[in-house]
Each structure stands twice: as structure tokens, then as C-alpha cells.
Amino acid sequence: MKIYLNLLTAAILATFIGCNSGGDSAGKGALSSSKAAEKVYVAPGEYDEFYAFMSGGFSGQLSVYGLPSGRLLKVIPVFSQDAEKSYGYNEETIPMLNTSFGFVPWDDAHHPELSQTNGVPDGRWIFINGNNTPRIARIDLTTFETTEIIEIPNSGGNHSSPFITENSEYVVAGTRFSVPIPQKDVAINSYKENFRGALSYIRADKPGEMAVSFQILVPGFDYDLAHSGKGKSSDWTFFTTYNTEQSHTLKEINASQNDKDFIAAVNWKKAEEYIKEGKGRDFPVEYMHNVYSDITHTATSNKISGVKVLIPSECPGLIYYLPTPKSPHGVDVDPTGEYIVGNGKLSADLTVHSFEKMLKAIENESFDGDVDGIPILNFEDVVAGTVVSGGLGPLHTEFDNKGNAYTSFFISSEVVKWKIGTWEVLDRLPAYYSIGHLMIPGGDSKKPWGKYLVALNKITKDRYLPTGPEMNHSAQLYDISGDKMELLLDFPTIGEPHYAQAIPAELVMKNSKKIYPINENEHAYAIKNERDAKVVREGKVVRVYMTSIRSHLNPDNIEGIKVGDEVYFHLTNLEQDWDVPHGFSIMGARNAELLVMPGQTETLRWVPQREGVYPFYCTDFCSALHQEMQGYVRVSPAGSDVPLKWSMGED
């Protein structure tokens, strides 16, 4: 009976999908509705096989989906304020959004990147870049919370980021927009004389200790995307470049003149040697490093001064340019570390470089000139092969566990499967529509899981019920376990997902934190039991030491607050059961609610502007008596002599 009901539910779901897709979902490569629904159906109470982490793009956040269901599990606030979770609003997390420009509560988040051990995602952390105000964030996957953000100096447009080295030694940050380094007031049309790029290596293997270890000063091109090597090539990182013309205006034309641009190959082990030898120059910069503690439940923000910069002309063997057609976007390294795929978005073909050939060309000094002391390797001496795809606009490539590669084609809206080594096209399927990145679980690592492929599409017109001029973007799930790809599912996504990564749920679930032990709470204003609840005045600053537990707040009556006081509600959630958060809000607050996890402390700042009696309440439904979880603050005129007092359960 249970099997019958599950299949019946799947059939109903399949009918719904088929009737509402609005596109050719039953066309080429799509399974029948019932078979597709069976493959993505996750029964009530059962778990998805994979966590998928998708960038929020211009939302500044990171979203988490289950695969194969496509269910949204959580939105993790990273670079943008989030009123639901009070991130960037409560006093504890405001420091996470500090930069050298001040408090910046937004960014453009593009590329999630899972931590790795021996080149395989390990489920400890996930990193993501902020493109606009250059930053990199670490998210702790025991709590699914942002715990560290570092600003990247000498950068404009942190796009080729935060692609990780094989054992999480570094995440990288290449500048998409070259700028004057150091920054100064110069004419924009002096671009070729004054603008430079920077490739940054940020130490990432120790939580709370991210640091810009060194930067490499490079010519003023646009550094677009990156991937670090694997195995034999693990000491190297590869960055794509465009605008080798060094244009500063109408780049859609002026930055597309050269027949070839470059992939920059950086030997980061050699860079470490040069830093130890004292070859790094000290550049006078200031940037911020922000860290959140699960013990104090509070973020701190520290200003760092100075960075070590390597000059390629002074450091032979540090960096080389591999010529690549034309305006390459993605650069991807196969699981063996031998093949480096250049996705030239203005080329119909894919150029694949050989790491072994690259080393031999370097050894033989097979150079075709140089740029600012960076040797250009002869194109013919480093190419392993060409995938003659017949598609238009190749952008990104990922790999399965059977020796195959998959490339997204933006203009022709399709995914193309091809064989590594023979460069033969094996299959192609349409994507709906204008696919950007694609993702295979573990597909940029040494050991892809290779069961599914997710297409991250830019346009969704006619795919979903219309929601006005703006619609969500689209993810599409393909089954790649057989010889032919099969389209299974569409689902809308948060923001504009540029890239995604996925990992088996079992690698993350086993470490998931359920509560914060109350006896480990070292927040400066935490209290561990109700009898310690109190209200303390320090001049015009009033601190309310408050607790929450099902189903009351203590204290729930407060008097003696005056107009113009600066009131801090320090709320400690005394619960020690999983999934029992409590919220807090008060009328007239100019920030957001609090959402406090079991054993945690958070702080809301409130400045009353008018006399009266103001209600506060729990905003997160926590029990049958949730509605009764409320209280009042009496606000008297400034200068009045109403005594400060508080209570709970007194008439």
C-alpha cells in the first residue's frame, strides 16, 4: 500500500510538472513524466541525497537546496542583511559587514566553493566571494552560518574567486576590473599606463585566521574565473583573462579584438618560496577581517594594514600565460589534473591545454614573447586537443566519474557531453534558457560523484507562473548516470545563481550542530537562568538581561525607560532542545527582529522616541502558547523620575 501511494503521488506530481512547464520539457532528452517524477520524488519524512549550495548572485546570499527534489532548505545570509535572521541587524552580526569603506550591507555573491581534503570536498566549510566590494566569506557547515569574512585589497571586482587549492591551503581572488594599484587619482584613458590587476592568495585552512598571504601584480587585463590544479598540477592555479587589449570603454567591441587571450598559470608553491626569500614588496593598504564566534555568539572586526606583493619580472617561474581563444570565461581542470579546459565564450570550439605539455614548454623555454615579464607559451606547444562542439558561447565545464566532461553553451542554450582524451562529442541536450554555469556534485574535484548535473539558467520566461516583469532564475536537474543525459526537473532559485556546488548529505549531516550548549555560552551579556534576569541603567544606556523559554520572556514588564534612552535587549534562549528558536521584536524598532537559537544570545538595540507603553513579543512560533509570549515596556518622558523596575508574573 505504501509503495502504491508513493507511486500515485509521483504520478500526480508528474502530471503537474507536465501541465505547467510551459516549454518543451517532454522533448529531446526528457523522460516520460512519471519516470522523471519517480527519480526526483523524496517521500515525506525522507531526506535528499545531496545538499546543493547555490550562489544568490545579486541577493548577496547563499541558498541551500536538496537534490534530487529541488526543495529549498535554507537561505544563508552572507554579504547582505537578512531581517528574518537579524543578520547584519543585531549587535552581534553587524561587524560581519564592516569593510574599509565602512558598513556595507550588500554584495554580489557568485561562486560557492566547498573545502577540500586531498582534492575531494569534505563538508567542513563552504566559501563564497563578494564581487562588488571584494570579499570572501567562510560558512561553517556544522551550523550553516557565516563565520568569517575577509576583504580583499588592491582589487576591483572579485570574480575569479574563491576557487580552492587541493587541501584548502588557499582560496584565490583575481580582480575582474583592473584598477590603479595603489589606488590614486588618474585619468581613465591612462588605463594602459596606470591600471593593474592583482591575483590574491588567502590562507583558508584555519577557521578564524583567514589572511591575505600574498598578491601577484599582473598586467591590467580582466581576470575572469579560476580553478586550482589537482594531483600533478595541485601546486598551480589557472586564471582566465580577457581584455588583453586593455580597453577602458565599450568593451563589448574593444575588448574582443584579439584572436586569443590568456589563461594565467600561477605556481603558488613558487610564490611561497619567493615570499620566504623576502621578495614580497610591502604595499600600504588597509582591509577588514571579520570573525564570528560560536562561543561568544559575537562578531569582531579588525583592520589589517599592509600586504606582500610579488612582481613577476622579479620572480622567474612564478607565472606564465597560455594563449586561449577568444575571451575565455571559465577555466576548468579535469579530475586527473592533466587537462585544463579554456571556455572561450566567443569561440564555437573548446581548447584543452595539457599540463605536461605546459611543463615541457616551460623547460624548453618555448615562449612567444612576454607581457611585463610574464612569458607567453607557444600555443601549439601546450594544446592537448580541441572539442569541435558546434555549439555557441561555451562558458563552463565540469566532469563526471567516468572520464566525461560537460560544457554549458550560453548562446545556443544547451549542455554538451564530450569524452576526455578523444575530444568527441557524445551527447547534447537543450537547457531552458541561456545556461550560465553548470554543476555536477564534486564535478570540479578529483573524485566527482557524477550522478546528477544541474544547469543554472538565466532566463525563465514561460517556464513558471508569471510574477510580473521579474521572475526567479531557473535550475534544471539532469540524470547523467547513463550514456545519455536525461532532463528530470525544473525548479526556481533565489537571486541569480551563478555557480553551485553539491555534496552527499551524509558528509554534512553527521557534523550538524543541533543546539548551542548553554554552559558554553560566553556572550558578554548572557545569563544562564531566569533568576538572573535584570535591567541595568548606565547613564542613558539601559541593558535588559532577558531570557526566553516556552512560553514566556523574563522580564515581561519593564518600567523606568525614558524617551531617548539607548536600550539593549540581550536575549538568551534557555532552550536546550533542537529546533526551538525564539524570536523577539518591539514596536518602533528600526532594525529587525531577533531570531535566537537554543543556547544562544543576541542583542536588539532600541531607542524609544515617544512616551507610552510598547509591546514586545516572540516572533517565532514555538509552542501552543506562543501568542502569550509577550510583554510591555513603559516609556516615560526624558528627565522623569519614574524608577527603573522589572518583573514577571506579578500583578
Side-chain angles (χ1 to χ4, degrees):
M1 177 62 72
K2 179 180 177 182
I3 294 173
Y4 171 78
L5 290 174
N6 284 350
L7 291 175
L8 178 62
T9 306
I12 294 170
L13 177 61
T15 301
F16 179 81
I17 293 171
C19 290
N20 290 277
S21 66
D24 186 24
S25 62
K28 180 182 178 184
L31 290 176
S32 66
S33 297
S34 59
K35 288 184 179 179
E38 288 175 24
K39 286 198 170 189
V40 303
Y41 179 66
V42 178
E46 294 184 2
Y47 294 157
D48 279 283
E49 185 179 356
F50 292 92
Y51 285 105
F53 300 91
M54 299 189 184
S55 69
F58 42 69
S59 77
Q61 317 292 36
L62 179 68
S63 54
V64 187
Y65 292 82
L67 294 182
S69 73
R71 297 181 296 194
L72 176 63
L73 303 177
K74 184 172 184 177
V75 176
I76 303 172
V78 183
F79 298 114
S80 297
Q81 290 175 301
D82 186 329
E84 176 192 355
K85 303 174 184 67
S86 197
Y87 181 85
Y89 289 103
N90 64 38
E91 297 302 298
E92 286 75 15
T93 58
I94 285 174
M96 293 298 290
L97 301 178
N98 285 341
T99 76
S100 61
F101 298 93
F103 179 75
V104 178
W106 173 84
D107 217 310
D108 186 15
H110 278 222
H111 306 123
E113 185 79 355
L114 288 158
S115 58
Q116 295 186 4
T117 301
N118 296 323
V120 181
D122 54 30
R124 291 179 294 167
W125 318 301
I126 190 164
F127 301 87
I128 192 166
N129 62 320
N131 190 38
N132 185 65
T133 304
R135 289 176 277 183
I136 293 175
R138 182 200 307 268
I139 294 93
D140 184 339
L141 292 183
T142 66
T143 60
F144 282 63
E145 301 288 345
T146 303
T147 56
E148 193 170 7
I149 297 178
I150 190 167
E151 188 180 4
I152 310 301
N154 292 329
S155 182
N158 175 37
H159 196 253
S160 46
S161 174
F163 301 98
I164 200 161
T165 56
E166 193 171 80
N167 283 292
S168 305
E169 300 97 338
Y170 296 102
V171 289
V172 301
T175 179
R176 176 178 167 191
F177 313 122
S178 289
V179 293
I181 299 177
Q183 273 284 14
K184 56 187 175 182
D185 177 19
V186 297
I188 295 173
N189 63 9
S190 70
Y191 188 107
K192 291 184 179 180
E193 293 77 29
N194 288 307
F195 286 51
R196 297 289 182 271
L199 307 179
S200 304
Y201 281 73
I202 296 88
R203 197 79 201 187
D205 52 352
K206 295 181 180 179
E209 299 181 22
M210 290 176 73
V212 182
S213 293
F214 58 87
Q215 295 183 312
I216 302 170
L217 193 67
V218 287
F221 307 151
D222 292 38
Y223 295 81
D224 197 6
L225 278 161
H227 263 102
S228 290
K230 307 173 180 73
K232 65 176 75 175
S233 58
S234 61
D235 295 350
W236 295 74
T237 307
F238 305 94
F239 298 82
T240 53
T241 72
Y242 65 96
N243 192 29
T244 52
E245 298 85 353
Q246 295 185 275
S247 168
H248 61 83
T249 184
L250 198 61
K251 288 192 177 185
E252 62 181 301
I253 296 173
N254 295 326
S256 303
Q257 300 298 309
N258 293 339
D259 182 55
K260 292 182 176 65
D261 292 291
F262 300 124
I263 291 173
V266 175
N267 186 334
W268 59 264
K269 283 284 191 180
K270 180 73 71 174
E272 288 183 331
E273 294 173 8
Y274 280 126
I275 291 295
K276 288 179 181 178
E277 293 172 8
K279 291 290 185 71
R281 295 192 190 182
D282 292 314
F283 273 47
V285 295
E286 291 186 341
Y287 58 99
M288 303 302 292
H289 179 220
N290 311 320
V291 179
Y292 180 85
S293 166
D294 280 343
I295 301 300
T296 66
H297 303 289
T298 302
T300 55
S301 187
N302 296 296
K303 182 180 290 185
I304 301 174
S305 298
V307 66
K308 296 288 185 183
V309 177
L310 296 171
I311 311 299
S313 61
E314 301 172 359
C315 303
L318 174 63
I319 179 172
Y320 300 89
Y321 280 141
L322 284 64
T324 304
K326 175 176 187 184
S327 296
H329 184 53
V331 55
D332 303 283
V333 183
D334 86 303
T336 70
E338 168 60 17
Y339 297 115
I340 304 138
V341 183
N343 302 273
K345 63 180 182 284
L346 298 181
S347 172
D349 301 331
L350 291 169
T351 299
V352 184
H353 298 294
S354 162
F355 180 70
E356 294 290 349
K357 285 189 172 184
M358 184 193 84
L359 293 183
K360 187 174 181 180
I362 292 169
E363 181 182 357
N364 294 336
E365 298 186 357
S366 180
F367 303 148
D368 187 18
D370 72 272
V371 182
D372 292 355
I374 300 174
I376 302 170
L377 300 176
N378 279 319
F379 178 72
E380 294 79 8
D381 292 334
V382 295
V383 171
T386 301
V387 180
V388 182
S389 65
L392 297 173
L395 294 184
H396 302 278
T397 300
E398 294 222 337
F399 307 91
D400 67 14
N401 54 356
K402 300 176 182 178
N404 302 310
Y406 302 75
T407 300
S408 59
F409 285 80
F410 176 79
I411 297 173
S412 52
S413 291
E414 61 183 333
V415 177
V416 173
K417 175 182 178 180
W418 50 275
K419 189 70 176 176
I420 300 170
T422 69
W423 326 123
E424 173 191 4
V425 172
L426 303 175
D427 193 19
R428 61 193 330 125
L429 276 185
Y432 304 96
Y433 304 96
S434 298
I435 178 175
H437 279 270
L438 50 71
M439 178 273 287
I440 294 170
D444 76 335
S445 75
K446 286 173 69 173
K447 293 184 179 180
W449 285 276
K451 186 173 183 179
Y452 299 112
L453 180 148
V454 176
L456 300 166
N457 306 323
K458 304 299 186 184
I459 297 173
T460 59
K461 60 182 180 181
D462 80 23
R463 300 306 291 175
Y464 311 119
L465 289 172
T467 54
E470 183 189 14
M471 298 183 68
N472 277 341
H473 291 74
S474 169
Q476 291 188 297
L477 181 70
Y478 296 81
D479 183 340
I480 60 169
S481 59
D483 291 336
K484 295 294 183 180
M485 297 180 284
E486 297 171 334
L487 177 60
L488 301 179
L489 181 69
D490 281 41
F491 56 97
T493 56
I494 299 296
E496 183 190 0
H498 291 259
Y499 184 44
Q501 294 221 307
I503 190 171
E506 62 185 6
L507 295 180
V508 177
M509 286 178 58
K510 63 183 180 181
N511 298 319
S512 184
K513 182 173 286 191
K514 305 295 193 299
I515 64 169
Y516 296 96
I518 191 71
N519 61 339
E520 296 177 7
N521 184 337
E522 296 181 10
H523 188 286
Y525 299 101
I527 52 178
K528 307 297 177 68
N529 52 69
E530 288 194 329
R531 64 178 176 270
D532 293 329
K534 59 185 176 181
V535 182
V536 177
R537 177 178 288 280
E538 303 163 354
K540 293 191 69 173
V541 172
V542 178
R543 298 193 180 275
V544 180
Y545 295 75
M546 180 179 283
T547 63
S548 61
I549 198 165
R550 289 164 287 182
S551 294
H552 58 261
L553 296 157
N554 185 19
D556 63 2
N557 281 206
I558 302 171
E559 299 188 24
I561 306 299
K562 303 173 187 178
V563 171
D565 279 348
E566 192 173 359
V567 183
Y568 292 89
F569 293 93
H570 304 293
L571 178 63
T572 301
N573 182 349
L574 297 180
E575 305 281 0
Q576 290 290 270
D577 290 333
W578 186 28
D579 196 26
V580 191
H582 289 297
F584 179 84
S585 184
I586 185 167
M587 184 177 177
R590 292 186 173 187
N591 34 39
E593 65 148 6
L594 299 179
L595 186 61
V596 191
M597 298 302 114
Q600 192 176 40
T601 301
E602 289 188 6
T603 303
L604 184 144
R605 178 179 179 271
W606 180 62
V607 180
Q609 301 167 70
R610 300 192 292 263
E611 60 190 75
V613 178
Y614 295 92
F616 58 80
Y617 66 103
C618 174
T619 53
D620 190 275
F621 201 98
C622 55
S623 70
L625 297 176
H626 164 73
Q627 293 293 94
E628 286 74 14
M629 198 167 173
Q630 61 189 53
Y632 293 99
V633 174
R634 174 187 174 187
V635 177
S636 302
S640 66
D641 58 0
V642 176
L644 189 67
K645 63 179 183 177
W646 61 94
S647 64
M648 180 188 69
E650 297 180 9
D651 291 331

